[in-house]
Amino acid sequence: MNLAVVLVSPKTPGNIGSAARAMLNMGAHDLRLVAPRCDHLDSQAVAMAVHAADLLRGARIYPTLREALADRDLSVGTSARIRADLPAPQHPAQVRPLVRAAAAPALVFGPEETGLINSDLEQCQVTVRVPTGDYASLNLAQAVLLVCYEFLQGVDEQPERTRKTATRDEMESMYGHLRETMQLIGYTDAVRARHTLRLWRAMLDRGLMTSAETRLFRGLLRQVHWKVGDAAARGTTEPRATESRAEDGTAPVDAGQDG
């Protein structure tokens, strides 16, 4: 499985090294760091990584979570808390079929002291919580070890993949386009846009859209933008007498009248 582990803003070299060792124990090799607050190749990190030192040295650094997830087709956030306006975390067993069916999944872990914030979890299609006792506190390496184990055990039994879903970069671009369109037509405003878009994200992410489907959806949004601009220029929302549209809805075409 082409599984990536993404650590958002890690603070301590030793924790990064321990997380790399946990990854290696479970057979994961793609480590991605988002805006780290320390040197991931510090001597302490390398010492804690032990045999995973090469994995640590091969880690890729990204300035933002969006860039770290750009080539992934599924992103799974981790959180022990219920967040307002966001879906509740699920048990890993509930999410396992979704992860194993993905071509390029990512597991996202937050900073040691705070965990993932809401804007990070918005970029994840699903959130998991490792089941624990009443005291639900795991260090970063423990969380990486347990979540990787949940999704990598029995990987040889994963079903054959028949559907390639869109990358997170394609989905985030589509959501940006959707937000612009909602504000253009007055469906929402700047104050309510974030909450409204969260509801749309939850619905559309469940659909596991393909790249072609995101292009189809954005074709509809482009047509809305064109229609609003055309109506503003003509001072009316009535359609042109000879107006027709292309099948994919991306632009109007000549109706082909004779004479």
Side-chain angles (χ1 to χ4, degrees), residues 38-77:
C38 63
D39 179 8
H40 72 289
L41 296 178
D42 180 270
S43 59
Q44 183 186 12
V46 175
M48 294 301 293
V50 192
H51 297 297
D54 286 343
L55 188 157
L56 189 65
R57 295 186 186 100
R60 285 178 278 184
I61 312 296
Y62 298 86
T64 67
L65 179 58
R66 176 170 177 171
E67 290 168 280
L69 296 176
D71 66 335
R72 304 286 90 188
D73 61 351
L74 176 71
S75 55
V76 180

Side-chain angles (χ1 to χ4, degrees), residues 3 6 8 12 28 36 38 42 44 61 64 142 147 153 163 177-178 184 200-201 218-219 240 257:
L3 177 73
V6 182
V8 177
T12 308
C38 63
D42 180 270
Q44 183 186 12
I61 312 296
T64 67
Q142 289 173 328
V147 177
Q153 63 173 322
R163 191 172 190 270
H177 199 167
L178 176 59
L184 175 68
W200 277 92
R201 279 175 174 272
R218 295 189 71 179
R240 295 178 184 271
Q257 284 185 313

Side-chain angles (χ1 to χ4, degrees), residues 221-231 240 243 245 252:
L221 300 180
R222 282 192 292 272
Q223 183 68 15
V224 171
H225 279 257
W226 176 86
K227 181 66 178 178
V228 171
D230 180 63
R240 295 178 184 271
E243 184 178 297
R245 293 171 178 78

Side-chain angles (χ1 to χ4, degrees), residues 110-141:
E112 297 94 320
E113 66 273 34
T114 62
L116 295 172
I117 61 176
N118 285 3
S119 59
D120 296 327
L121 290 171
E122 285 176 358
Q123 298 179 63
C124 299
Q125 290 148 286
V126 65
T127 304
V128 298
R129 173 180 179 173
V130 176
T132 63
D134 293 337
Y135 181 59
S137 177
L138 300 173
N139 66 38
L140 181 61

Side-chain angles (χ1 to χ4, degrees), residues 89-222:
Q90 299 183 50
H91 189 287
Q94 295 174 290
V95 182
R96 191 180 299 135
L98 190 64
V99 174
R100 292 186 178 175
L107 305 180
V108 185
F109 299 85
E112 297 94 320
E113 66 273 34
T114 62
L116 295 172
I117 61 176
N118 285 3
S119 59
D120 296 327
L121 290 171
E122 285 176 358
Q123 298 179 63
C124 299
Q125 290 148 286
V126 65
T127 304
V128 298
R129 173 180 179 173
V130 176
T132 63
D134 293 337
Y135 181 59
S137 177
L138 300 173
N139 66 38
L140 181 61
Q142 289 173 328
V144 170
L145 181 75
L146 290 172
V147 177
C148 284
Y149 172 78
E150 285 286 351
F151 297 133
L152 289 173
Q153 63 173 322
V155 69
D156 292 337
E157 301 172 7
Q158 70 183 72
E160 181 180 353
R161 181 174 177 79
T162 58
R163 191 172 190 270
K164 189 177 187 306
T165 54
T167 66
R168 293 314 299 169
D169 186 55
E170 290 170 320
M171 294 298 291
E172 290 300 327
S173 296
M174 184 186 75
Y175 289 136
H177 199 167
L178 176 59
R179 179 172 182 153
E180 292 173 4
T181 306
M182 290 192 299
Q183 292 183 271
L184 175 68
I185 64 175
Y187 181 81
T188 188
D189 54 33
V191 175
R192 296 174 297 170
R194 187 164 195 166
H195 170 74
T196 304
L197 192 59
R198 282 179 182 174
L199 300 177
W200 277 92
R201 279 175 174 272
M203 180 180 69
L204 294 174
D205 273 343
R206 282 198 303 271
L208 299 177
M209 298 171 72
T210 65
S211 297
E213 287 168 342
T214 64
R215 292 193 295 271
L216 179 68
F217 190 81
R218 295 189 71 179
L220 172 64
L221 300 180
R222 282 192 292 272

